[in-house]
Amino acid sequence: MHILIAALHRPTKPTGVCRHAVNLAQCLVDTDQVTKVTLVVGAWQKDYFEKTFNLSSQKINLLSVDIKNSSVSRNLWFLFGLPKLAKQLHSNIVHLSFPLPFLRSLFPCPVVTTIHDLYPYEYPENFGYPNVIFNQLFLKQCINNSDGLSCVSKQTLEFLKIYFPHIEQRKKTTVVYNYVDFSQIKPRVPKNIESSINTPFLLAVAQHRKNKNLDILIQTYSLLLKNNQLKDSTKLILVGSSGPETENICHQIRTLSLEERVLMLSSIDDDELCWLYQNCELLVVPSSTEGFCLPLAEALYLSCKVVCSDIPIFREIGSSNCTYFELQNDSVENLSQAIIQCLAQPDSDYKYPDYSFSKSNAAYQYINFYSTLI
């Protein structure tokens, strides 16, 4: 089976979508059924895909498309260039690593799309107006044209059914969790914090978007310092690519005079991320909504303490292994108490055992799903 994975995307630095595409490729090539995976990216992505991710398998072919990195150029390529490529390569399945506009009639094989979330409907402010109108249109068009939809969580599938009633009667759907695999990773201190490696720190891994609620975390961190409920040397490290909330986050940090205490990182590799998980006091995930939240699963896999908002998706992933706080009422006070409670807990040797998040299980589920479509 030859799988073509479309990962051509606007960002010039690695994102969660990039990681999903690479993880998808890596789990598929571990199976006997898949003989080749073509991972398609933009020319502007090629360098960071090669340097940031492990693509050493001989079954994986990284193919870069040299087009202009603009909305018009990318969408035209999705509509006409991608199906042409699928024909040239004799692909058995085209897997879109995120929803994008395409014309099903032009493809010679089934098309599967990963649905990470329903943000264009749940959180339109993440995109702004009028951009969100196009995001909703492209998402709807992609869902209606796909042969199969792979949701990253049960919660995502439930939201899909809310916004697209009777979708399970019209399309083949499945839930395949993002997997966690640090078996080949060697932890390494991120370059930008080498001078701070001996100081304690809280960690958050999230793109700068409204639903991530990083403003609540920053307020809480400031309050804990002010009340002497954290060691004075404790820093806050925010890992994530810039987004609609970047300006507000930076303004908040300046307003609270936290410039020397809050470190902002982006585009770090898995070795550096692993070190941060293993050495932080705890990971904080204060989101209002998520499709899956890979950082939560990664942190638990590495026995990291986690404080997160009490929303259904986090209960689905974290079960009883997290300290939860309510976003309603006084979210800052609720989060501060949860952090204090979590820090007071003894360190655990707990190792995330859930097979649902394993690489082999993800591969098995994808192969089975593809088989129903071919």
Side-chain angles (χ1 to χ4, degrees):
M1 210 185 313
H2 177 197
I3 313 298
L4 190 158
I5 300 174
L8 188 144
H9 200 21
R10 175 184 55 82
T12 55
K13 296 180 180 180
T15 64
V17 167
C18 300
R19 175 173 294 202
H20 168 73
V22 170
N23 284 355
L24 174 59
Q26 288 174 330
C27 77
L28 290 175
V29 296
D30 279 353
T31 67
D32 294 332
Q33 294 92 330
V34 174
T35 55
K36 184 179 181 180
V37 170
T38 299
L39 186 57
V40 186
V41 301
W44 58 93
Q45 296 175 281
K46 185 174 184 289
D47 186 58
Y48 70 72
F49 263 81
E50 291 177 334
K51 292 181 179 179
T52 304
F53 303 114
N54 177 21
L55 298 172
S56 58
S57 172
Q58 292 183 347
K59 287 186 180 182
I60 298 177
N61 174 37
L62 183 66
L63 192 159
S64 64
V65 177
D66 192 6
I67 61 172
K68 186 178 180 181
N69 187 13
S70 68
S71 296
V72 173
S73 296
R74 291 193 307 271
N75 289 330
L76 283 174
W77 185 82
F78 294 148
L79 291 171
F80 303 107
L82 182 56
K84 182 179 179 181
L85 182 62
K87 289 179 182 177
Q88 291 174 345
L89 297 178
H90 304 289
S91 305
N92 300 109
I93 289 282
V94 171
H95 193 135
L96 311 181
S97 61
F98 65 99
L100 52 87
F102 71 97
L103 300 172
R104 176 62 185 89
S105 60
L106 298 183
F107 282 83
C109 61
V111 179
V112 173
T113 300
T114 295
I115 305 298
H116 298 272
D117 53 63
L118 279 298
Y119 286 172
Y121 293 95
E122 289 181 80
Y123 249 85
E125 55 266 44
N126 270 354
F127 305 90
Y129 291 92
N131 293 348
V132 69
I133 298 173
F134 295 101
N135 286 98
Q136 291 178 352
L137 179 64
F138 290 161
L139 177 58
K140 182 177 181 180
Q141 196 260 9
C142 183
I143 287 173
N144 288 333
N145 283 356
S146 297
D147 296 282
L149 302 169
S150 174
C151 296
V152 297
S153 67
K154 296 175 184 176
Q155 186 67 19
T156 297
L157 179 57
E158 289 304 310
F159 277 120
L160 180 64
K161 289 189 288 188
I162 290 173
Y163 292 106
F164 295 87
H166 312 298
I167 189 68
E168 289 184 300
Q169 283 75 51
R170 298 188 291 115
K171 301 289 178 181
K172 288 186 180 295
T173 63
T174 189
V175 172
V176 182
Y177 289 122
N178 291 312
Y179 69 83
V180 180
D181 181 21
F182 282 93
S183 59
Q184 305 299 316
I185 299 300
K186 295 181 180 179
R188 187 177 76 254
V189 180
K191 295 177 183 177
N192 293 344
I193 68 162
E194 288 174 340
S195 61
S196 305
I197 59 174
N198 294 319
T199 59
F201 63 91
L202 307 183
L203 177 66
V205 181
Q207 190 180 11
H208 303 166
R209 290 187 175 277
K210 187 69 175 178
N211 63 293
K212 304 295 185 178
N213 291 331
L214 292 175
D215 57 330
I216 294 175
L217 172 56
I218 294 168
Q219 291 177 54
T220 301
Y221 170 68
S222 177
L223 178 65
L224 290 170
L225 287 173
K226 181 180 179 181
N227 293 340
N228 297 315
Q229 291 169 309
L230 285 178
K231 294 180 181 178
D232 188 60
S233 59
T234 302
K235 295 186 180 295
L236 173 61
I237 298 181
L238 305 178
V239 178
S241 54
S242 60
E245 287 298 300
T246 301
E247 185 176 342
N248 291 336
I249 290 170
C250 293
H251 176 73
Q252 186 180 27
I253 291 171
R254 291 192 299 269
T255 300
L256 295 172
S257 302
L258 297 174
E259 295 95 329
E260 301 301 317
R261 295 178 178 272
V262 178
L263 306 178
M264 299 177 68
L265 306 178
S266 64
S267 304
I268 65 175
D269 60 32
D270 287 348
D271 294 354
E272 295 170 317
L273 184 60
C274 182
W275 187 92
L276 290 171
Y277 285 135
Q278 291 181 335
N279 288 275
C280 68
E281 297 289 297
L282 52 80
L283 175 79
V284 186
V285 194
S287 305
S288 303
T289 182
E290 290 281 355
F292 178 78
C293 192
L294 187 58
L296 173 56
E298 290 175 334
L300 291 174
Y301 176 89
L302 293 169
S303 305
C304 176
K305 291 181 178 179
V306 177
V307 171
C308 58
S309 47
D310 195 356
I311 59 176
I313 183 58
F314 291 164
R315 291 285 183 176
E316 181 179 339
I317 298 172
S319 187
S320 60
N321 301 305
C322 303
T323 301
Y324 296 93
F325 76 97
E326 291 290 339
L327 280 170
Q328 289 73 29
N329 301 319
D330 193 342
S331 56
V332 172
E333 177 62 24
N334 295 341
L335 177 54
S336 66
Q337 293 304 313
I339 290 175
I340 293 169
Q341 176 188 341
C342 189
L343 288 173
Q345 295 173 357
D347 292 336
S348 171
D349 293 328
Y350 173 77
K351 192 75 172 179
Y352 212 33
D354 197 331
Y355 182 66
S356 300
F357 303 95
S358 72
K359 186 178 183 181
S360 59
N361 190 53
Y364 173 80
Q365 289 180 289
Y366 280 126
I367 294 299
N368 280 354
F369 190 54
Y370 294 158
S371 299
T372 67
L373 299 171
I374 294 176

